[in-house]
Amino acid sequence: MQVTVTGIAYRDAYAKDKTLPLKGKYALAIAFAMKSKTGGMLGSQMDNVIKWEGASATAEGRDYAYAPWQGCVDTYTPYGTVEPNQEYKAITDVNVPAKGGTLIFDDAYGGEARWELPTEDTGTGTEPATKFATRAC
């Protein structure tokens, strides 16, 4: 499976609720595209395939249930089925304490992909999530 990060966006993790029990101050939206010759899936949410590492902290995508856009971007699940030779666009989120860091995807077969993240928003594809950073869906 080919995975290409197309965009990232940092938003205030507490934008809608200042009382959330969070470890990080940023809601990091990650947009990516997946494609496969044979089709398939990136994994299941329980595989814990999406992680973030910073200078002094780590975070896992499956541990974040309070993104400001939670429930608004379900059709962009990273755990959907990729049809053969068809691009599948996904968005995931991670609660991070700092901007930048390393995004890590581990697959169920022992493969790993890493991307060094910039400290500013970049690219495209996060808009379906970020438009709900401060308003209801």
Side-chain angles (χ1 to χ4, degrees), residues 9-85:
Y10 299 93
R11 296 295 182 267
D12 178 1
Y14 296 98
K16 290 183 177 176
D17 186 349
K18 304 288 186 213
T19 65
L20 292 173
L22 302 174
K23 295 180 181 178
K25 65 181 186 175
Y26 297 106
L28 171 60
I30 306 148
F32 55 98
M34 298 183 288
K35 196 168 185 179
S36 171
K37 289 181 182 179
T38 59
M41 296 177 70
L42 179 64
S44 70
Q45 190 169 7
M46 299 311 294
D47 290 339
N48 194 29
V49 297
I50 302 168
K51 302 175 187 175
W52 174 90
E53 287 182 355
S56 61
T58 61
E60 299 176 356
R62 75 173 178 176
D63 292 339
Y64 190 29
Y66 300 107
W69 44 81
Q70 191 72 30
C72 302
V73 293
D74 293 347
T75 57
Y76 291 89
T77 177
Y79 307 108
T81 301
V82 178
E83 297 298 327
N85 296 309

